[in-house]
Amino acid sequence: GQFLGNRLWVRQQVRVHRVGIRCIESIMSKRGWTIGKVAILCGGPDWPVSVLAGVLKLSLVQCEIGTIPIIFFVAPCALSGSLYLQVGRSDLWTRSGTLMIILSLMVNFGLWGLAAWAIQNELEQNFDTLNQKLPQNVELEWLGYREAEISRRIVVEWEDVDVYIRSIFIAGGIVQICVCHVMMFTYSSLISDFQVADDIDTLVWFD
C-alpha cells in the first residue's frame, strides 16, 4: 500500500482527498488504542484496510498496536470452525458450535457499529477541518473535477441506445431470471446434502 500510495492514479482511485477517507485517516492516525481505530482495523475487511493504511502512509507500528485486540474476534471464529466439526457427537458440541458462531457474528457486527459511530462522530466534530482543501491534493482535486465533468457529459440514456443493443440486454436479463428460477426449483435434484463433519468417502459426486 505504501508503495502504491506514491502513484497519483492510485491515490485518485482511493479518494484520499475526500472527506470520508480523510475522516478514516484522522481516526487511524491516532496513537495507541481508540474505539474507532480498533473497530476499523479489527472489524474492517483485512486487505482493503491494510492497503489503505499503507496508501495513507500511516505508522506501521501504531497500526499493529491497534490490531492487537483482533484476538477477541479471531478466537470465536476459530472455535466456531473447530466445534462445528464436532457437531452431531453430542448436544454439548452442537450447542457450543452454535454459540461460537453467534458470538462471532455479535463481535463482527459490534465492530462495524463502533466503526460507523466513530466515523460519524469524527465527521461531526471536525467536519470543517476535514473538508478543507490541502495543497498536496491539488492534482487530485483537478482530476476529480475532470472525471465528474467527463461523466456528466458522456451519460447515455436508455432511449439513446440502439434497439438491437437494448434487445440483447433484455434477452440477457430474461435468461438470467430463468436460470435463477431453474436453480431454485431444481435445487434438490442438482445439489445433494453433505455436512462438514460427514465422511468424505460417503460423498456422492453423481447420482
Side-chain angles (χ1 to χ4, degrees):
Q2 190 168 5
F3 173 75
L4 293 174
N6 296 323
R7 300 180 179 273
L8 184 63
W9 68 271
V10 173
R11 297 174 65 231
Q12 179 194 5
Q13 294 300 317
V14 177
R15 302 290 194 268
V16 298
H17 59 297
R18 297 295 176 85
V19 175
I21 298 299
R22 289 186 61 191
C23 178
I24 295 175
E25 178 184 8
S26 176
I27 295 172
M28 293 176 59
S29 61
K30 296 176 181 177
R31 298 181 62 83
W33 288 348
T34 65
I35 294 177
K37 179 180 177 180
V38 171
I40 293 173
L41 288 172
C42 297
D46 182 30
W47 187 84
V49 172
S50 300
V51 173
L52 177 62
V55 171
L56 297 174
K57 293 180 171 54
L58 300 177
S59 170
L60 175 61
V61 174
Q62 291 300 320
C63 287
E64 291 291 342
I65 292 174
T67 312
I68 291 175
I70 192 66
I71 185 64
F72 297 105
F73 180 42
V74 172
C77 288
L79 287 173
S80 297
S82 301
L83 294 173
Y84 193 74
L85 290 174
Q86 308 300 324
V87 169
R89 291 194 173 186
S90 67
D91 289 341
L92 177 62
W93 291 110
T94 302
R95 292 174 182 174
S96 298
T98 303
L99 176 62
M100 286 298 106
I101 292 176
I102 294 174
L103 184 59
S104 300
L105 292 174
M106 290 176 60
V107 173
N108 194 19
F109 289 140
L111 290 172
W112 287 356
L114 290 173
W117 168 82
I119 293 172
Q120 181 64 34
N121 188 56
E122 187 73 18
L123 283 173
E124 292 177 354
Q125 292 184 357
N126 303 304
F127 180 78
D128 293 337
T129 302
L130 296 171
N131 200 37
Q132 289 180 356
K133 309 299 182 185
L134 300 178
Q136 61 267 32
N137 292 333
V138 170
E139 291 182 286
L140 295 176
E141 297 289 350
W142 159 246
L143 290 174
Y145 172 78
R146 186 184 69 173
E147 182 182 5
E149 285 298 309
I150 292 174
S151 300
R152 184 175 64 85
R153 293 177 180 272
I154 64 173
V155 171
V156 179
E157 300 291 343
W158 177 255
E159 293 76 13
D160 300 330
V161 179
D162 187 84
V163 63
Y164 298 107
I165 302 299
R166 281 189 281 178
S167 300
I168 294 174
F169 277 111
I170 293 173
I174 293 174
V175 170
Q176 185 175 12
I177 292 173
C178 291
V179 170
C180 290
H181 278 76
V182 169
M183 290 293 294
M184 181 176 65
F185 291 118
T186 62
Y187 176 84
S188 58
S189 301
L190 297 174
I191 302 176
S192 61
D193 183 34
F194 185 81
Q195 299 297 326
V196 176
D198 291 346
D199 189 347
I200 188 65
D201 293 332
T202 63
L203 177 62
V204 179
W205 291 98
F206 299 99
D207 192 355

